[in-house]
Amino acid sequence: MKFLSQMQIRDVLLNILLELQQACKKNGINFYLVGGSLLGAVRHQGFIPWDDDTDLGIMRDDLKKLCSIVEDDNRYKISIAYDRFAHCRQVRFLYNDENIPCFLDLFMTGQRQLTTNSPKNSENSVFKWSKKWIPIEHWHSGMTSLITQARTIA
């Protein structure tokens, strides 16, 4: 396995996040920032200075769709790992290349629920994730700025 600097890790995480975003947009899959990634987007316009991962939330149905897409694309894989610090299993989206040790943590949320008498995918859905969370583009612009600043200093 290859060792990467903090800046290299962030570059790889940004790349895999943008690739995931493209695949998800193309296939109608929604995901959103959570945890330290959400905090970093708001407070630091990118990564928290000491953070080395990306935390994403995804609905259970969307994760199932993503798994079937990844099965057909040999560039990526989805794995489940036990995190001994958080004492839980984590779903991870990562490159299939084992020389790239970076991954995105996917935190699965429950089934989509609809209000009574509303058709599927209606505006009346109980959960409207895409309008309640910070868009990935906001985080991306902060990340681009952060990476540019770091490269200028280096």
Side-chain angles (χ1 to χ4, degrees):
M1 185 184 301
K2 192 173 168 181
F3 288 97
L4 303 175
S5 70
Q6 187 80 0
M7 194 53 61
Q8 289 172 316
I9 289 170
R10 291 178 178 180
D11 282 345
V12 172
L13 288 173
L14 181 58
N15 287 334
I16 195 169
L17 179 64
L18 294 174
E19 291 172 25
L20 175 66
Q21 181 186 23
Q22 287 175 344
C24 286
K25 269 187 179 180
K26 181 179 174 183
N27 292 283
I29 297 172
N30 295 307
F31 65 92
Y32 45 92
L33 295 173
V34 297
S37 298
L38 179 59
L39 180 63
V42 174
R43 192 166 67 184
H44 300 280
Q45 289 74 50
F47 281 101
I48 294 175
W50 56 87
D51 205 1
D52 64 353
D53 69 352
T54 302
D55 304 319
L56 304 172
I58 187 167
M59 298 295 288
R60 182 180 310 273
D61 292 343
D62 286 336
L63 181 57
K64 287 179 186 176
K65 276 196 245 179
L66 181 60
C67 287
S68 66
I69 291 164
V70 168
E71 283 178 12
D72 297 332
D73 191 333
N74 62 1
R75 295 175 296 168
Y76 312 106
K77 65 182 174 183
I78 293 179
S79 70
I80 298 176
Y82 183 78
D83 185 326
R84 61 187 174 101
F85 298 108
H87 304 289
C88 66
R89 287 186 305 162
Q90 292 183 336
V91 179
R92 295 177 171 167
F93 179 85
L94 61 158
Y95 288 114
N96 225 353
D97 183 350
E98 292 183 13
N99 289 316
I100 305 174
C102 302
F103 53 85
L104 308 175
D105 283 327
L106 302 175
F107 295 93
M108 184 174 43
T109 55
Q111 298 283 358
R112 278 204 175 98
Q113 299 177 13
L114 302 174
T115 57
T116 31
N117 300 326
S118 65
K120 193 173 183 180
N121 299 326
S122 146
E123 285 296 313
N124 298 323
S125 333
V126 173
F127 299 113
K128 301 279 300 157
W129 296 111
S130 62
K131 293 185 181 177
K132 289 192 179 210
W133 298 96
I134 294 178
I136 296 298
E137 289 83 7
H138 174 77
W139 185 77
H140 174 256
S141 66
M143 283 302 301
T144 303
S145 169
L146 186 69
I147 290 169
T148 303
Q149 288 173 348
R151 286 184 178 152
T152 304
I153 293 169

